[in-house]
């Protein structure tokens, strides 16, 4: 849950920003000149760039922290158990781990 929410919220905000921009263009009664459209697109692009610049380090940190594996002694002295530090019920390189690696 935390991984998905922590890494997808910037895209949700970007979708909202684009949606507001296009709704504004759609419902504007005054016909905009080409220069005004370019200016508004430039402003939206700047806001999106700033959004991703601010949120990318936190999202990357969550992702890297989630996929960090730890080794634990099984007690038999032979094999080590490798599991995710964030969720010890998920074995490293198991089915669940590999399913989320694509993400």
């Amino acid at each position: 849950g935390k991984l998905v929410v922590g890494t997808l919220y910037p895209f949700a905000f970007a979708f909202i920003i684009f949606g507001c921009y296009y709704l504004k263009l759609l419902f504007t009664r005054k016909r905009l000149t080409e220069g005004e459209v370019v200016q508004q697109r430039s402003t939206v692009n700047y806001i999106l760039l700033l959004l991703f610049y601010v949120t990318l380090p936190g999202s990357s940190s969550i992702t890297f922290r989630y996929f960090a594996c730890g080794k634990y002694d099984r007690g038999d002295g032979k094999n080590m158990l490798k599991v995710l530090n964030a969720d010890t019920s998920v074995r490293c390189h198991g089915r669940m781990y590999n399913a989320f690696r694509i993400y």
Side-chain angles (χ1 to χ4, degrees):
K2 183 178 179 182
L3 174 68
V4 174
V5 172
T7 55
L8 288 182
Y9 77 89
F11 293 103
F13 283 133
F15 182 75
I16 291 169
I17 290 169
F18 269 128
C20 290
Y21 168 70
Y22 284 110
L23 284 175
K24 180 182 174 190
L25 283 180
L26 187 65
F27 292 112
T28 300
R29 292 177 185 242
K30 180 185 125 185
R31 184 77 178 142
L32 299 176
T33 66
E34 186 65 31
E36 291 172 328
V37 171
V38 169
Q39 177 63 34
Q40 287 183 1
R41 283 185 186 163
S42 177
T43 301
V44 169
N45 288 338
Y46 175 77
I47 291 169
L48 291 174
L49 183 63
L50 183 63
L51 171 74
F52 286 119
Y53 178 78
V54 169
T55 58
L56 184 63
S59 298
S60 298
S61 175
I62 290 169
T63 304
F64 291 134
R65 205 172 328 136
Y66 186 82
F67 286 106
C69 291
K71 293 181 181 181
Y72 297 95
D73 188 7
R74 291 183 181 212
D76 61 5
K78 296 178 185 176
N79 296 326
M80 299 292 281
L81 178 64
K82 290 178 74 174
V83 295
L84 291 178
N85 290 333
D87 185 358
T88 56
S89 68
V90 178
R91 290 183 180 210
C92 291
H93 309 293
R95 279 186 318 162
M96 185 69 101
Y97 178 84
N98 288 331
F100 272 100
R101 277 187 62 186
I102 295 169
Y103 185 73

